[in-house]
Amino acid sequence: MSEMVERNTNVGDFSTWGLVAWDFDDFHRRELPHRLAAGVNTQVSWDLAGAAPFSIALKDGRAYSYAMDGGAVRVMRGIHEQAQCVIEIEERAWQNYVHELRTPYSLVLAQAVHFLRGGMGEWDAWAPAIQCMYSGREIFDPSKPLRDAQGQPLDLHRKFTLADDHEEMTHFLHTAGYLVVRGALTHRLQEIADEIERVRAQAREGEIFSWWTENLASGVRFPYRLMFISERSQLVRSLMEEDPTVAALVALVKRDVIPLHDRGQGAMSVLKPFGAGSKLAPSIAGNLGWHTDCGLGGCTIMCPSVNIGIHLDAAGPQSSQLWAMAGTNGRSVHHATSMGADCPNAVPLDTCPGDVTIHYSCSMHAGPPPTGPNQRRTLYLPFYTPETLRLLGRFQSFEQVLPGYGSGDIPSLDQVTKEQSVYR
């Protein structure tokens, strides 16, 4: 088995899944207007009030614009003179965009689009509506109340134990997109922590099993992410396949999901052995802003999928912690919606050692920089749809579209657009 994987920007391509190859003109002249008239306009028009037109062009010059007209979206040929965002996209990349096998962020990072006008902020104004127009995905409405099983407002900060009613826990998970279970794996905490330390000590930079960065203050390089851990640890593999507590937690999903050992990032551990104020070498993944685990593509095939997070250290104001945006699972979200922690649906998941979190991969969440001096270690066990094993090959992931994949030195979106001239 090779321990190196080259960057592959064709991972999860629409043609490998046997999806229809839309004709760019036919889609915009016939298919998309039909969808809008059949109900999609009702789904998207509320979210586009005041939005300037958006235009999408192929390199051969063919182009179409989406614009609000009389409270509804109208598709027009050519580049709209008032469009604030105009993207030029490769035709194959556009096909993947239509089928949700690529997202705006993965398209930019893979250098498959150029901005002829505007940038990501202007694209974001239309992105959720376009996703709904292309795939039917519902747009997240932060003003829509979330309800518990009794119809009362959902307590977004509620935490459960394994002794609580599992049907109620399932309802909370489906509604909020996350769940905190106190002390669920306290009885196995030390052996899991010891195993993660063993794997960390054996990590070697340059292999596919870890991503590294540098603490610029100390000059020390360290692995901030361990990946495919169940490929090297029988203990972690047994957690995913045999542990009754983990099995009970996965059962809360009430969907057909399987352990993901050698796709995506496999069983993965976040390591943050640094405190507030530490300056890391530039990388998109050392500290993560708001994102979804399937945010580079493939959600329609791989989801619903969940990550079972086993917290080896306390995660809270004295370290760093996972944040969740309640109600976003399975929905398309404006990136600007989740920029601030002051959003009512943004919830910090304070946890103690031995606590377990569950979050849907397509639920918006974040792992921001620490706000205190303590370290954070969390082991994530992924459970995905069986179809994921056909979509992705061994050690393949949608992260392979990212520049620097395999090294961990993955530039941010701003770096890509500046250093590699994505905008022009």
Side-chain angles (χ1 to χ4, degrees):
M1 179 189 69
S2 171
E3 294 185 351
M4 297 293 293
V5 176
E6 298 295 327
R7 184 185 180 206
N8 179 3
T9 58
N10 292 320
V11 165
D13 184 83
F14 80 98
S15 62
T16 65
W17 195 248
L19 297 173
V20 61
W22 289 106
D23 176 82
F24 188 70
D25 291 309
D26 184 58
F27 182 84
H28 283 98
R29 294 178 185 177
R30 183 186 61 82
E31 178 65 22
L32 188 53
H34 171 75
R35 294 182 186 185
L36 289 165
V40 172
N41 247 320
T42 303
Q43 295 177 264
V44 303
S45 58
W46 68 271
D47 189 55
L48 293 170
F54 172 92
S55 299
I56 184 166
L58 298 184
K59 290 188 174 183
D60 62 11
R62 287 180 290 164
Y64 289 87
S65 296
Y66 313 146
M68 290 298 291
D69 182 15
V73 176
R74 187 159 65 96
V75 181
M76 295 170 285
R77 192 171 182 178
I79 295 176
H80 200 291
E81 62 180 9
Q82 297 178 3
Q84 291 185 2
C85 185
V86 181
I87 63 169
E88 181 185 75
I89 188 169
E90 299 170 3
E91 186 165 10
R92 192 176 192 87
W94 173 76
Q95 300 278 4
N96 280 318
Y97 186 28
V98 169
H99 292 297
E100 280 198 23
L101 290 170
R102 295 292 185 271
T103 66
Y105 284 92
S106 62
L107 289 168
V108 170
L109 288 167
Q111 301 178 358
V113 299
H114 296 286
F115 287 98
L116 305 183
R117 293 183 206 163
M120 288 303 301
E122 290 75 18
W123 194 350
D124 184 61
W126 272 87
I130 292 173
Q131 193 171 21
C132 184
M133 289 155 55
Y134 284 179
S135 68
R137 187 174 297 277
E138 179 186 356
I139 301 173
F140 170 62
D141 183 355
S143 69
K144 188 176 181 179
L146 302 177
R147 303 286 183 182
D148 65 19
Q150 288 72 46
Q152 299 301 309
L154 196 69
D155 178 5
L156 301 181
H157 297 268
R158 182 177 178 184
K159 297 173 175 60
F160 294 83
T161 72
L162 289 171
D164 286 316
D165 182 81
H166 282 209
E167 289 298 323
E168 192 171 4
M169 295 168 74
T170 291
H171 180 89
F172 188 100
L173 176 61
H174 286 179
T175 304
Y178 61 87
L179 194 70
V180 178
V181 187
R182 287 292 196 199
L185 281 167
T186 302
H187 62 290
R188 300 200 65 180
L189 176 63
Q190 192 58 57
E191 63 175 320
I192 296 172
D194 290 345
E195 182 69 350
I196 295 305
E197 286 303 306
R198 181 190 70 80
V199 174
R200 182 200 60 78
Q202 293 181 351
R204 297 294 179 265
E205 189 167 5
E207 297 178 348
I208 63 171
F209 301 114
S210 58
W211 286 355
W212 294 62
T213 191
E214 180 179 337
N215 188 329
L216 296 178
S218 64
V220 174
R221 291 189 65 80
F222 62 92
Y224 65 81
R225 184 165 296 188
L226 306 175
M227 301 181 295
F228 305 116
I229 299 176
S230 63
E231 292 290 290
R232 295 170 292 156
S233 168
Q234 184 55 45
L235 186 150
V236 173
R237 182 171 285 266
S238 70
L239 282 171
M240 300 175 74
E241 296 182 347
E242 302 170 6
D243 185 86
T245 301
V246 173
L249 295 171
V250 173
L252 296 174
V253 179
K254 292 186 181 291
R255 300 292 178 89
D256 182 18
V257 292
I258 60 174
L260 201 65
H261 295 294
D262 59 1
R263 269 77 164 172
Q265 295 180 15
M268 181 268 290
S269 184
V270 170
L271 304 177
K272 292 191 175 185
F274 51 89
S278 296
K279 186 172 178 57
L280 304 182
S283 172
I284 199 172
N287 292 303
L288 281 171
W290 291 103
H291 68 286
T292 62
D293 296 329
C294 53
L296 297 176
C299 183
T300 53
I301 298 169
M302 299 188 298
C303 296
S305 57
V306 292
N307 274 289
I308 307 295
I310 304 171
H311 294 260
L312 308 180
D313 304 296
Q318 291 303 304
S319 58
S320 63
Q321 62 193 138
L322 188 71
W323 284 69
M325 186 64 63
T328 54
N329 47 301
R331 296 176 175 88
S332 182
V333 183
H334 287 283
H335 186 67
T337 298
S338 53
M339 290 299 288
D342 55 346
C343 175
N345 286 52
V347 181
L349 306 186
D350 293 311
T351 57
C352 299
D355 288 355
V356 171
T357 55
I358 310 173
H359 71 266
Y360 279 108
S361 298
C362 55
S363 182
M364 189 71 72
H365 56 282
T371 54
N374 299 332
Q375 72 169 351
R376 173 196 163 197
R377 297 168 300 165
T378 307
L379 170 63
Y380 287 104
L381 309 179
F383 292 82
Y384 277 60
T385 64
E387 289 76 17
T388 304
L389 300 184
R390 292 196 293 121
L391 178 67
L392 300 175
R394 184 165 164 81
F395 296 122
Q396 282 191 337
S397 73
F398 279 90
E399 282 81 1
Q400 284 177 273
V401 307
L402 302 176
Y405 176 81
S407 69
D409 290 326
I410 298 172
S412 68
L413 189 71
D414 289 341
Q415 287 175 288
V416 171
T417 56
K418 179 180 179 181
E419 297 172 11
Q420 300 184 13
S421 301
V422 173
Y423 299 156
R424 70 180 189 187

